[in-house]
Amino acid sequence: MSQSAADAAFSKGLEGIIAGETSVCSIEQGGLFYRGYEIHDLAQNATFDEVAFLLLEGHKPSASELARFKGEIRAERPIPASVTQFLKDAGPALKAGTAVPMDVLRTGVSMLGHLDADCQSVSADANMRKAKRLLAKIPTIIGQMQNVIDGRPIVAQETGGDPSLDHAANLMYLMSGQKPSPDYARVVDVSLILYAEHDFNASTFTARVIAGTLSDMHGAVCGAIAALKGPLHGGANEAAMEMLKEIMHDVGEAGIGTDKVDSWMQRAFDTKRKLMGFGHRVYKNGDHRAPILHKLGRAIAQNDTKNPGGHPALQWFKLGEQVQKIMLEKKNIHPNVDFPCGLTYYTMGIPVPQYTPIFVASRITGWCAHVLEQHANNRLIRPLSKYVGEPTRSWNG
Ligand code: CMC
């Protein structure tokens, strides 16, 4: 049945609108579920590699299915020499700050599309092969990009990592050349589980809109990366940490726990500043993922002797907790997953501009699962708009 704009429902930002069906994920005030498995259950009992299989292939893997999947991913980790060369060429712009890692990652993924024999096919088989290649190669792009920024030789260029390491640990290794401790690897692995999927969030919806025109998976993922970059979406993990650094700079370590932080926050409220890492379009009583990551990150900070940004790791969490408390008391707004993520990655010494690319290394699974689902049962996504411009008028007056 066709519908005109005059009699259609309108909701700014599509808030509260059901824009499609999915069997990948469900979000409710009471829980977040990937294909029926609750997020606390997954964070506690699964690994990211298992969750990636679950999202892409649709069910919990058996031991042999998981071994096969991991082997497929490991084999696809190396990236073409031309992409490595592009990353090297992007070094000056990255160092100058005219390019940021999310932009460079987006271009790297676009290049992978040109070089992928399956690029133009939207068949289920081709889509699954491309999804696995993207999952495997995105950490390699991120790692090599960070090597270029740090001025070190490319880590494991031939293999795209260490075959003994799973997705999260290998990503850390590729970025730094150091194999992470089991504790660090597990915390990053859990963060990737938490980031993997979130139904019709802005970047996934972008991917589905692109896929809905029967365009290709690499194009859909490039669009999704651009959407995720924004600070109202995935870019909030970097923005949250930059905000905490700003508060720390302004109040000093001695100001933590004092009313100096309250005054800083009051100024932010008075100027109607949006505090990054807080609030959510769907969760109004708190993001289920945030406390899971906060607890793990705090444990890392508690045992850490490093001095991130010149302050003991735990001080950042104490500052973050005070900010959270004030937000809740004054605004009744809860932190979202990006807030503890910023704190946790900072404590672990991960460079801030790579936080959102790391999010991509996880969410690629959710995006690809949705592209597969969209192509399997496609209908062009084409809403209406409410016209608020000039009334009808004549060109000749
Ligand atoms: N700081 C200050 N005030 C806020 C915030 C915030 N972070 N979030 C919401 N509010 C206020 C907002 O100003 C509004 O107040 P008022 O009614 O007086 O105008 C009220 O709360 C309702 O907010 P809203 O903007 O209508 O909520 P929304 O559903 O449109 O926005 C959001 C959701 C995530 C865009 C928003 O909360 C925000 O901008 N947060 C900061 C960015 C952020 O952390 N994004 C990550 C989102 S979750 C994970 C992810 O996608 O990566």
Side-chain angles (χ1 to χ4, degrees):
M1 190 179 71
S2 67
Q3 193 180 32
S4 75
D7 54 13
F10 167 63
S11 172
K12 194 172 180 188
L14 298 181
E15 182 167 3
I17 301 284
I18 295 174
E21 293 178 307
T22 183
S23 59
V24 182
C25 171
S26 70
I27 302 180
E28 292 149 24
Q29 295 303 324
L32 162 63
F33 303 83
Y34 298 172
R35 297 200 185 276
Y37 295 100
E38 204 272 328
I39 197 67
H40 288 83
D41 188 7
L42 293 171
Q44 202 163 349
N45 300 312
T47 64
F48 174 76
D49 295 58
E50 289 170 320
V51 168
F53 182 101
L54 170 73
L55 291 171
L56 290 175
E57 302 219 12
H59 61 273
K60 180 182 171 182
S62 67
S64 64
E65 284 172 326
L66 185 63
R68 184 257 299 155
F69 181 75
K70 285 187 182 186
E72 288 169 344
I73 301 300
R74 262 197 310 272
E76 291 289 354
R77 281 175 174 170
I79 58 174
S82 56
V83 179
T84 298
Q85 189 56 50
F86 156 69
L87 296 170
K88 288 180 178 167
D89 292 345
L94 281 163
K95 284 178 198 158
T98 51
V100 295
M102 280 296 273
D103 300 346
V104 172
L105 176 57
R106 188 195 64 227
T107 304
V109 167
S110 191
M111 288 180 74
L112 290 179
H114 307 322
L115 301 166
D116 193 312
D118 286 316
C119 185
Q120 307 309 331
S121 171
V122 298
S123 74
D125 286 355
N127 273 347
M128 185 61 85
R129 287 194 294 274
K130 288 186 282 187
K132 287 174 184 169
R133 287 184 200 128
L134 283 164
L135 174 62
K137 291 183 199 308
I138 282 173
T140 315
I141 295 179
I142 298 169
Q144 293 193 3
M145 188 189 339
Q146 190 57 42
N147 299 161
V148 169
I149 293 168
D150 292 340
R152 76 163 65 81
I154 301 292
V155 175
Q157 185 171 349
E158 298 303 313
T159 52
D162 181 320
S164 70
L165 298 177
D166 286 347
H167 193 72
N170 193 53
L171 172 60
M172 297 294 98
Y173 170 59
L174 287 169
M175 288 177 73
S176 64
Q178 309 276 320
K179 290 187 194 169
S181 68
D183 283 357
Y184 274 36
R186 179 62 189 155
V187 171
V188 176
D189 196 83
V190 172
S191 74
L192 299 191
I193 293 174
L194 302 176
Y195 268 148
E197 167 53 12
H198 219 218
D199 91 344
F200 277 27
N201 60 87
S203 57
T204 303
F205 192 60
T206 302
R208 287 193 78 129
V209 169
I210 294 171
T213 69
L214 295 183
S215 187
D216 67 280
M217 183 174 272
H218 284 82
V221 169
C222 287
I225 292 174
L228 189 75
K229 174 190 171 190
L232 297 191
H233 191 9
N237 57 10
E238 296 176 20
M241 197 56 226
E242 293 301 349
M243 183 189 76
L244 280 171
K245 281 160 75 178
E246 191 186 329
I247 303 175
M248 183 73 100
H249 172 268
D250 291 351
V251 308
E253 202 181 310
I256 301 171
T258 72
D259 59 11
K260 280 188 172 179
V261 179
D262 297 72
S263 306
W264 194 101
M265 296 285 285
Q266 193 52 53
R267 282 196 298 280
F269 298 148
D270 292 346
T271 54
K272 302 237 175 278
R273 177 171 170 171
K274 276 254 171 110
L275 296 180
M276 292 295 142
F278 286 91
H280 200 276
R281 171 59 63 80
V282 181
Y283 301 123
K284 296 303 179 194
N285 303 319
D287 179 336
H288 303 292
R289 304 164 295 177
I292 301 174
L293 196 51
H294 190 101
K295 193 169 163 208
L296 291 173
R298 199 180 210 285
I300 288 280
Q302 199 109 31
N303 299 322
D304 209 306
T305 51
K306 273 198 269 152
N307 216 346
H311 303 281
L314 201 52
Q315 292 300 82
W316 291 101
F317 271 84
K318 287 185 177 161
L319 176 60
E321 283 157 9
Q322 191 179 359
V323 168
Q324 282 181 204
K325 189 164 174 282
I326 297 167
M327 255 327 243
L328 203 54
E329 281 171 5
K330 296 272 168 60
K331 293 277 174 188
N332 196 26
I333 298 177
H334 295 261
N336 56 57
V337 67
D338 290 319
F339 194 70
C341 175
L343 277 166
T344 303
Y345 287 175
Y346 195 69
T347 299
M348 297 171 81
I350 299 172
V352 177
Q354 296 290 11
Y355 295 1
T356 322
I358 292 171
F359 192 158
V360 174
S362 162
R363 183 61 59 88
I364 185 65
T365 52
W367 291 336
C368 290
H370 280 272
V371 170
L372 276 151
E373 190 174 58
Q374 184 70 35
H375 281 159
N377 185 17
N378 192 51
R379 183 162 167 83
L380 179 75
I381 299 171
R382 203 297 187 195
L384 302 168
S385 68
K386 181 179 176 184
Y387 182 65
V388 293
E390 297 289 340
T392 306
R393 47 192 168 156
S394 162
W395 188 253
N396 290 325

